[in-house]
Amino acid sequence: MGHSHHHHDHPEGNIKVAFFLNLGFAIIEIIGGLWTNSVAILSDALHDLGDSLTLGVSWYFARIAKKDRNQKYSYGYKRFSVLGAIINSIVLVTGSIFIIIEAIPRLLNPVTPNTEGMIYLAIGGVIVNGAAAFRLSKGHSLNEKAVYMHLLEDVLGWVAVLVGALVMNFWDLPILDPLLSVLIAAFILYNVFKNLRESFRIILQGTPSDISIKKIHQVIRDIPKVLDVHDCHTWSLDGEYHILSIHLVIKEDLPLSELENIKIETKQRVSKLGINHTTIEFETQNEECEPC
């Protein structure tokens, strides 16, 4: 297990930096949103606050996910990061619905916000979230990718607020403010549901989207002395670490040394397809395979 530690310390540090950046800025924004009387700023503030929670939870779960397997969690703690992703999604959905409810009355009778204040806050938003997104742009884990997506959305959200504020500064179009906030909320919801789908697929032990069962069957059937493949199950622990269990039908009475060679060959072939952990069971042609 030793070699994987190096890979995971880094994301945790990145997430930590992004967390403090975001949390500090989200607090400034909420005050700023109330001061400028802008729902767009408030919706971005909420977005950022949601992301701070996301980052906090991700950071916490990234630490837990590194723990080695034990008797209580025989596969280790990797799946905790998926739980983190789901908790965050729920927070963001709640926030977005709240924003939309706030924005609707403003769409009907728009209030002019303090555009100059909005411009300053938006520039700050682009810089802070841009810096945090840059820190996480090279991440690999589902957790890091989710966090990176959040931060990237924040940058885009702030760019939108900046453009809106500049337009409102020169033209009397107060409706732009609530319009922006609804668009930001809709965008958050769209991405959250995409993320949730991926997380549920992992939790419900669906076949990982980057693994082809057909291909697994093909490469194993090509191994000499393997007659057939049965009962092939593959699932993912956290979106990155994939597990396979499979039955190989072999010719009668092969010595153990030959079975061992078949096993090594099988593991090598499936690891090229992205499988990290393989459990193999051998059976003969006449054997009744219960689940098959």
Side-chain angles (χ1 to χ4, degrees):
M1 285 301 289
H3 63 274
S4 67
H5 282 295
H6 171 75
H7 170 73
H8 278 292
D9 285 342
H10 194 55
E12 195 191 314
N14 283 341
I15 288 176
K16 186 164 119 186
V17 170
F19 167 69
F20 286 113
L21 263 177
N22 248 45
L23 184 64
F25 195 67
I27 295 163
I28 295 169
E29 281 169 75
I30 291 171
I31 299 163
L34 295 167
W35 165 61
T36 53
N37 191 21
S38 156
V39 248
I41 296 265
L42 279 173
S43 69
D44 248 345
L46 182 102
H47 193 177
D48 269 7
L49 194 64
D51 289 349
S52 306
L53 285 177
T54 304
L55 290 161
V57 174
S58 300
W59 171 31
Y60 175 67
F61 283 123
R63 282 176 53 196
I64 290 188
K66 289 194 318 191
K67 286 211 281 197
D68 281 340
R69 48 182 87 175
N70 54 26
Q71 286 180 334
K72 203 167 160 197
Y73 290 102
S74 63
Y75 272 111
Y77 288 78
K78 285 184 189 297
R79 195 163 269 191
F80 274 82
S81 67
V82 183
L83 179 64
I86 290 177
I87 293 170
N88 301 329
S89 301
I90 294 166
V91 171
L92 286 170
V93 169
T94 317
S96 306
I97 292 166
F98 168 76
I99 290 288
I100 292 170
I101 292 168
E102 277 293 289
I104 289 167
R106 294 249 191 152
L107 282 169
L108 304 172
N109 19 355
V111 184
T112 308
N114 168 352
T115 50
E116 200 178 318
M118 282 177 77
I119 294 169
Y120 293 132
L121 279 167
I123 291 171
V126 172
I127 293 168
V128 173
N129 289 297
F134 184 72
R135 279 298 298 247
L136 285 160
S137 58
K138 295 167 188 64
H140 298 293
S141 68
L142 196 68
N143 211 344
E144 275 179 289
K145 279 181 189 149
V147 171
Y148 172 61
M149 268 313 295
H150 282 307
L151 294 168
L152 203 61
E153 281 157 38
D154 281 353
V155 174
L156 294 174
W158 282 113
V159 169
V161 171
L162 182 58
V163 173
L166 285 167
V167 171
M168 281 186 288
N169 203 23
F170 296 108
W171 289 280
D172 184 29
L173 286 170
I175 194 158
L176 271 182
D177 186 56
L179 209 56
L180 273 172
S181 68
V182 171
L183 287 173
I184 292 167
F187 184 65
I188 299 172
L189 287 172
Y190 168 72
N191 278 304
V192 164
F193 285 121
K194 242 174 29 183
N195 228 359
L196 271 177
R197 218 173 55 202
E198 180 67 16
S199 302
F200 279 128
R201 182 176 188 152
I202 295 172
I203 280 191
L204 299 172
Q205 293 194 309
T207 303
S209 42
D210 54 345
I211 298 284
S212 154
I213 299 251
K214 221 162 109 184
K215 193 104 178 103
I216 289 175
H217 279 222
Q218 270 170 4
V219 299
I220 298 178
R221 284 204 178 105
D222 286 346
I223 298 173
K225 305 210 168 105
V226 173
L227 302 176
D228 203 2
V229 180
H230 281 307
D231 205 29
C232 171
H233 299 285
T234 171
W235 69 97
S236 187
L237 214 51
D238 61 352
E240 282 187 40
Y241 189 92
H242 303 329
I243 296 163
L244 168 74
S245 83
I246 195 159
H247 290 194
L248 308 186
V249 182
I250 43 152
K251 297 183 172 162
E252 304 295 312
D253 294 339
L254 286 179
L256 267 178
S257 56
E258 280 205 52
L259 289 181
E260 193 185 342
N261 290 337
I262 293 175
K263 206 191 261 178
I264 290 168
E265 178 65 26
T266 303
K267 288 187 174 180
Q268 278 173 346
R269 289 187 179 202
V270 297
S271 77
K272 288 195 181 108
L273 297 177
I275 299 290
N276 305 77
H277 182 101
T278 310
T279 306
I280 298 166
E281 193 176 310
F282 291 113
E283 50 185 67
T284 54
Q285 277 171 287
N286 317 328
E287 195 182 322
E288 277 296 312
C289 165
E290 305 142 24
C292 305

